[in-house]
Amino acid sequence: MAGVSTADPVPPLPPAIAVWFETRGWRVRRHQLEMLEKARAGRHALLVADTGAGKTLAGFLPTLCDFAGDTPPGEGLHTLYVSPLKALAQDVKRNLLTPIAEMGLAVRVETRSGDTPSDRKKRQRERPPHILLTTPESLSLLLSYPESADLFAGLRRIVIDEVHAFATDKRGDLLALSMARLQTLAPGATRAALSATLANPRDFQEWLAPQAGDTGEIVAADLVLGEVGAEPEVEILLPIEERIPWGGHAGRWAVPQLYQAILANRTTLVFTNTRFLAEFIFQCLWDVNEDHLPIGIHHGSLSTEARRKVEEAMARGELRALVCTASLDLGIDWGDIDLVVQMGAPKGSSRLLQRIGRAGHRLDVPSRAVLVPGNRFEFLEAMAAKDAVDEGQRDGEPFRPGSLDVLAQHVMACACAGPFQEDALLAEVRGALAYSWVDETTFQRVLNFVADGGYALKAYDRFKRIVRDKSGTWRLSHPSQAQRHRMNAGIIVDSEMLTVRFRNGRSLGKVEERFAAQLSPGDTFFFAGMSLEVEGVKDMDVTVRAAKKSATIPSYGGLRLPLTTHLATRVQAMLADRAGWGRFPDDVREWLEMQDHRSQLPSPGELLVESFPHGGKHYTAYYTFEGWNANQSLGMLITRRMEDRGLLPGGFVANDYTLAVWGLKPVTDPAPLLSPDILTHEFTEWVTESYLLRRAFREVAVISGLVERQHPGQKKTGKQVTFSTDLIYDVLRKYEPDHVLIEAAWADARSRMTDVGRIAELLERSERELVHVTLDRVSPLAVPVMTMIGREAVPQGAVDDELLLEAEGLIAAAMRPDEAWEGD
């Protein structure tokens, strides 16, 4: 948690801390001192520093100095630490206890999460530790107790770790509202946020600082930049004898080389982008593990016990390799990792840097990483990510207005803590930047919803949670409402699996709710080796029948990480930079040169669309570079529009870079299919008819507290929750379509579920710079997405895309010189 050995004198610090640094041969780093100075001056501060730079110690140094001074603080909560992961809080506690013990400080440190026993939680409210390590959800619950005002009255410092991981989502909304509450309870507390990877520090500075209320002034925390560490060493792995695959994303071709790398290093961390891929690569490594090396696996679907067992084995240095997902992206300190491997494209430079930082974990030692591209587009993406890392460029998710369902949950938490005045709470809420936009009308709608569920539901007593007395004070309708809130509050709503079954009840298996949410009656998709037509989606079932036509919608498993706009722009720039192709492998360079000869390459700011025949069908490839989610949504919309125009669409496939749509009639002009009104007509119709809005409503209904997952002594099943929310959804859609939760569900459907913002940017681009090329056969650039057609007929990972029946013919057609081409 500290710095490098040096002969420099230790700066003025309390003797116990100064001696501790001297004993270890460390110096206090510049950014650690700056964070101390900001705290002493009462300034809020954001620290952006490389992994291994001692960020955690920088965050806690003002606290340790307070307790090591001549007049240490007395009993009571002094510092609140908030992290996105319970495991990270446990790791930080372990790393804090050692220096506290070695310095001889009388500081009690405890964690608080959903795993903390109820008796300890009760004791923490009555006799809090000096330092409490928690999560946004647990902090919100702690603020819901009447004694929270006394508990937090003496709070001096708030430390938010890995702030990039959650500030821009709903967990960040909840934390922002909790900090606004703390600003009222402990106005003198200073805030500090820590991160290694921020593209837009100014936005996070504004998010971190309390807002100026009615003046509308946007204030910002101070920015502290960490000392620059050793540059990471990033290598892109290439096949030794084979060519880079055209399609696929698993990178299985690299398993023999990956195994040799594991043999050559003490400990290797292998990152994958999905849980399925983690399981697949783990099994591939075991298949070649002739030396019986201890290799583990870690992802969010494993049990808590299984994850902890692996984490403890890693901490003890007992594993040679660990295959994992984003579950280990964040700052758990395993300093003996020699190498990080990224299987498949990293999808973002900040995410890549975060993962690279797991290796070495020291500022003066370069982190080593190997990127394994699954296909040729992923090679370009890996190159773009490597260039961004080399240039120090970051990317990340933008901030958006705070969600109303989270605000409703917070209002209920405040009511549980005690009666409140409407005007005072609104002013407090607007102290959070995410909610500075909330006006009196919007806040009144939220209050009315919490009070009785809204106009269409107010006749039902079970929705009456708070009441306003004659003096205008809001309070709980009954004391039991507090227990109900604490049992059900939270932000994370687990995704359900829906059963695919025939009308006679025969089950074919399960699909993710994320996929099922896009389906409408009449849609066809491939599953269990059959082409199926959707009859309906209700409760937890997708009812189907055998389709009379081929499937139009691909079915994929696993949540996909989005390709960032930053990397997408870099990849397009690389395609346009012909002079830079010399650094590419021969097969990639030949691929691009043939594309340039036969068609065109998409330039930055341009939308290239290609149309060509293949296998008796007419294909159109849209090179969007907007990510899989946006392309998947656009595919649904375009096929609907093609159907209306009599173009007889047959289906579509999508990856992060390209959307390929096919039909029985050619698309002679793609512009009408891409007109912006598709987002006001087809989009609204599709979202309303599909399961998307219902799924979004279920999440906001649970988060807002309208539908409860747990009651004393019992817990609702996912099916019961879905049934309840579907009934309420139907009532509100019919009688109160402008209900605050319908509005919140639409916001989620537009942003998280469909990436409509990126689709809108794409449509705007198409109006300015649409280039349509008509070809006599498939183009080289279209081959990677075309190899995906039919992939759903086989288990994922069972075969490489190179071995699919269509692949060889596609590649031959795309790469054959014009004079050798004789037609389809």
Side-chain angles (χ1 to χ4, degrees):
M1 290 202 308
V4 295
S5 176
T6 177
D8 293 344
V10 177
L13 290 171
I17 297 179
V19 170
W20 182 77
F21 272 94
E22 289 174 350
T23 302
R24 295 202 164 212
W26 290 349
R27 66 175 172 87
V28 185
R29 295 194 181 277
R30 172 189 51 77
H31 54 267
Q32 293 171 334
L33 281 177
E34 284 190 40
M35 292 296 286
L36 178 59
E37 292 167 1
K38 298 294 183 186
R40 286 174 172 171
R43 302 288 298 175
H44 309 295
L46 168 67
L47 171 61
V48 181
D50 292 341
T51 300
K55 290 191 299 296
T56 306
L57 183 56
F60 283 106
L61 188 57
T63 300
L64 298 180
C65 286
D66 282 353
F67 281 91
D70 295 333
T71 55
E75 289 300 305
L77 182 62
H78 179 285
T79 296
L80 181 71
Y81 167 92
V82 184
S83 81
L85 297 177
K86 292 182 287 187
L88 180 56
Q90 290 285 357
D91 189 66
V92 168
K93 177 184 177 182
R94 184 174 63 249
N95 290 334
L96 262 180
L97 290 177
T98 298
I100 286 173
E102 292 175 349
M103 294 176 190
L105 303 181
V107 181
R108 289 186 294 110
V109 183
E110 295 184 13
T111 61
R112 184 186 182 93
S113 70
D115 296 337
T116 305
S118 58
D119 58 338
R120 188 184 306 166
K121 288 181 179 180
K122 184 175 185 296
R123 179 184 52 75
Q124 287 173 345
R125 298 196 304 272
E126 296 169 349
R127 184 174 177 265
H130 300 111
I131 300 176
L132 182 65
L133 315 175
T134 189
T135 61
E137 291 82 0
S138 290
L139 172 59
S140 177
L141 286 173
L142 194 52
L143 285 166
S144 75
Y145 285 91
E147 56 266 40
S148 61
D150 294 331
L151 173 66
F152 290 105
L155 184 69
R156 301 274 296 277
R157 187 160 180 78
I158 304 169
V159 180
I160 304 167
D161 206 355
E162 306 289 2
V163 66
H164 65 277
F166 59 148
T168 58
D169 60 23
K170 288 191 178 185
R171 299 183 77 205
D173 292 345
L174 187 66
L175 177 57
L177 289 168
S178 295
M179 287 197 297
R181 186 71 172 157
L182 290 173
Q183 182 67 20
T184 299
L185 301 179
T190 58
R191 304 178 184 182
L194 318 173
S195 180
T197 52
L198 290 182
N200 49 342
R202 181 68 186 183
D203 291 347
F204 283 83
Q205 289 172 255
E206 294 175 352
W207 176 87
L208 179 63
Q211 301 308 298
D214 294 335
T215 66
E217 178 187 356
I218 300 296
V219 296
D222 293 343
L223 177 64
V224 176
L225 298 177
E227 295 181 15
V228 178
E231 294 293 332
E233 298 175 356
V234 183
E235 172 191 351
I236 299 177
L237 193 67
L238 298 175
I240 297 175
E241 298 179 356
E242 304 173 4
R243 298 161 72 86
I244 297 177
W246 286 84
H249 62 279
R252 186 171 66 170
W253 61 267
V255 168
Q257 291 168 255
L258 174 58
Y259 184 69
Q260 291 303 314
I262 292 172
L263 280 172
N265 290 278
R266 289 177 302 173
T267 311
T268 301
L269 205 54
V270 182
F271 278 105
T272 64
N273 290 338
T274 66
R275 296 173 185 180
F276 162 78
L277 195 53
E279 293 283 355
F280 178 64
I281 295 300
F282 175 70
Q283 189 58 53
C284 289
L285 285 173
W286 268 108
D287 290 343
V288 299
N289 189 7
E290 298 177 351
D291 302 274
H292 305 290
L293 301 178
I295 300 175
I297 184 170
H298 189 288
H299 59 72
S301 292
L302 298 176
S303 68
T304 302
E305 292 75 18
R307 293 198 304 272
R308 285 182 176 172
K309 184 177 179 180
V310 169
E311 291 165 8
E312 291 168 1
M314 278 293 289
R316 294 191 298 266
E318 296 173 356
L319 296 181
R320 290 293 297 275
L322 180 59
V323 183
C324 60
T325 60
S327 59
L328 291 183
D329 271 3
L330 303 176
I332 296 176
D333 188 0
W334 291 328
D336 58 351
I337 295 172
D338 300 315
L339 179 68
V340 164
V341 176
Q342 168 65 49
M343 299 298 294
K347 302 303 170 191
S349 60
S350 292
R351 181 178 294 113
L352 176 60
L353 266 172
Q354 190 72 32
R355 292 180 171 182
I356 290 174
R358 299 304 103 213
H361 215 78
R362 285 182 55 189
L363 199 61
D364 56 330
V365 176
S367 300
R368 295 172 49 234
V370 172
L371 309 184
V372 182
N375 59 58
R376 299 184 179 196
F377 262 122
E378 285 197 346
F379 169 79
L380 297 177
E381 186 183 328
M383 286 288 291
K386 182 180 183 302
D387 290 348
V389 168
D390 291 343
E391 296 168 18
Q393 296 294 315
R394 310 290 186 263
D395 50 26
E397 294 297 315
F399 282 90
R400 81 280 180 277
S403 299
L404 294 179
D405 51 334
V406 179
L407 178 56
Q409 183 180 133
H410 178 71
V411 168
M412 189 61 190
C414 292
C416 293
F420 65 84
Q421 294 292 324
E422 183 175 323
D423 292 345
L425 185 57
L426 173 58
E428 181 180 293
V429 163
R430 294 181 66 182
L433 180 62
Y435 292 93
S436 58
W437 62 275
V438 175
D439 57 19
E440 292 181 4
T441 301
T442 302
F443 193 61
Q444 188 64 54
R445 291 176 64 206
V446 173
L447 280 175
N448 290 340
F449 158 70
V450 178
D452 56 26
Y455 171 77
L457 302 175
K458 63 191 311 178
Y460 301 92
D461 289 340
R462 67 189 181 98
F463 297 123
K464 292 179 169 57
R465 293 183 284 170
I466 60 175
V467 294
R468 181 166 51 184
D469 60 24
K470 294 180 180 179
S471 67
T473 300
W474 288 94
R475 63 182 72 247
L476 293 179
S477 62
H478 190 276
S480 64
Q481 294 290 348
Q483 181 187 16
R484 292 172 60 182
H485 169 78
R486 294 178 189 125
M487 290 183 67
N488 290 278
I491 297 300
I492 299 172
V493 181
D494 293 333
S495 180
E496 301 289 346
M497 299 293 287
L498 275 70
T499 301
V500 179
R501 65 173 75 248
F502 288 120
R503 193 185 303 174
N504 64 8
R506 177 191 166 198
S507 173
L508 299 174
K510 294 180 180 291
V511 295
E512 289 179 322
E513 187 183 38
R514 182 184 178 88
F515 171 70
Q518 303 176 61
L519 301 176
S520 301
D523 287 341
T524 55
F525 68 103
F526 204 93
F527 186 75
M530 292 179 284
S531 183
L532 304 172
E533 180 180 339
V534 178
E535 291 189 330
V537 180
K538 187 176 181 180
D539 299 337
M540 304 306 292
D541 290 338
V542 180
T543 306
V544 298
R545 63 185 176 190
K548 296 179 180 179
K549 56 183 180 179
S550 61
T552 60
I553 303 168
S555 173
Y556 297 108
L559 181 63
R560 296 182 176 220
L561 296 171
L563 173 70
T564 64
T565 302
H566 173 227
L567 278 198
T569 302
R570 279 183 172 270
V571 171
Q572 287 180 282
M574 291 169 64
L575 292 174
D577 180 21
R578 291 159 179 78
W581 294 354
R583 60 184 181 140
F584 298 164
D586 291 345
D587 50 349
V588 174
R589 188 171 62 252
E590 292 167 5
W591 171 52
L592 298 181
E593 288 172 348
M594 183 60 78
Q595 173 70 22
D596 198 25
H597 169 70
R598 293 247 346 274
S599 177
Q600 284 187 221
L601 285 157
S603 300
E606 175 184 274
L607 175 61
L608 173 65
V609 180
E610 293 178 332
S611 296
F612 50 84
H614 182 76
K617 301 182 182 71
H618 296 277
Y619 290 80
T620 306
Y622 303 82
Y623 298 97
T624 69
F625 294 88
E626 294 296 349
W628 178 85
N629 201 22
N631 285 343
Q632 185 81 356
S633 300
L634 187 62
M636 300 291 289
L637 298 175
I638 286 179
T639 52
R640 292 173 73 95
R641 185 163 278 193
M642 288 174 66
E643 188 80 48
D644 292 341
R645 285 160 173 72
L647 294 176
L648 303 178
F652 69 89
V653 288
N655 58 24
D656 277 327
Y657 324 97
T658 315
L659 166 68
V661 186
W662 65 89
L664 298 181
K665 292 186 178 181
V667 174
T668 56
D669 181 10
L673 300 177
L674 296 167
S675 60
D677 63 346
I678 200 171
L679 292 182
T680 56
H681 297 132
E682 282 86 348
F683 179 81
T684 302
E685 182 180 341
W686 166 49
V687 172
T688 303
E689 290 179 358
S690 73
Y691 192 66
L692 268 172
L693 200 57
R694 287 182 181 273
R695 180 196 174 208
F697 182 81
R698 181 173 72 85
E699 290 193 12
V700 301
V702 169
I703 290 172
S704 67
L706 182 70
V707 173
E708 298 171 339
R709 291 172 285 190
Q710 297 188 70
H711 294 279
Q714 59 178 318
K715 180 177 181 179
K716 282 187 178 180
T717 65
K719 185 172 183 177
Q720 289 171 323
V721 169
T722 300
F723 181 72
S724 299
T725 56
D726 279 356
L727 284 176
I728 297 172
Y729 172 81
D730 289 336
V731 169
L732 295 182
R733 286 284 297 170
K734 183 175 182 180
Y735 297 106
E736 195 177 356
D738 61 346
H739 191 278
V740 66
L741 289 195
I742 297 290
E743 179 182 331
W746 266 108
D748 275 9
R750 288 189 183 100
S751 58
R752 290 190 304 113
M753 296 182 178
T754 61
D755 245 346
V756 72
R758 294 184 73 165
I759 297 175
E761 293 172 2
L762 169 69
L763 298 178
E764 181 183 344
R765 195 163 79 238
S766 73
E767 285 197 303
R768 299 192 316 266
E769 298 287 344
L770 174 63
V771 177
H772 184 214
V773 180
T774 302
L775 304 171
D776 60 353
R777 64 189 188 277
V778 62
S779 73
L781 211 61
V783 171
V785 73
M786 293 286 287
T787 60
M788 297 173 64
I789 298 172
R791 187 169 67 179
E792 295 76 36
V794 294
Q796 295 187 44
V799 296
D800 287 331
D801 287 335
E802 294 276 19
L803 302 181
L804 291 174
L805 296 177
E806 277 284 300
E808 292 185 6
L810 283 167
I811 295 167
M815 300 300 288
R816 186 180 293 120
D818 292 339
E819 57 271 16
W821 176 247
E822 298 179 356
D824 211 22

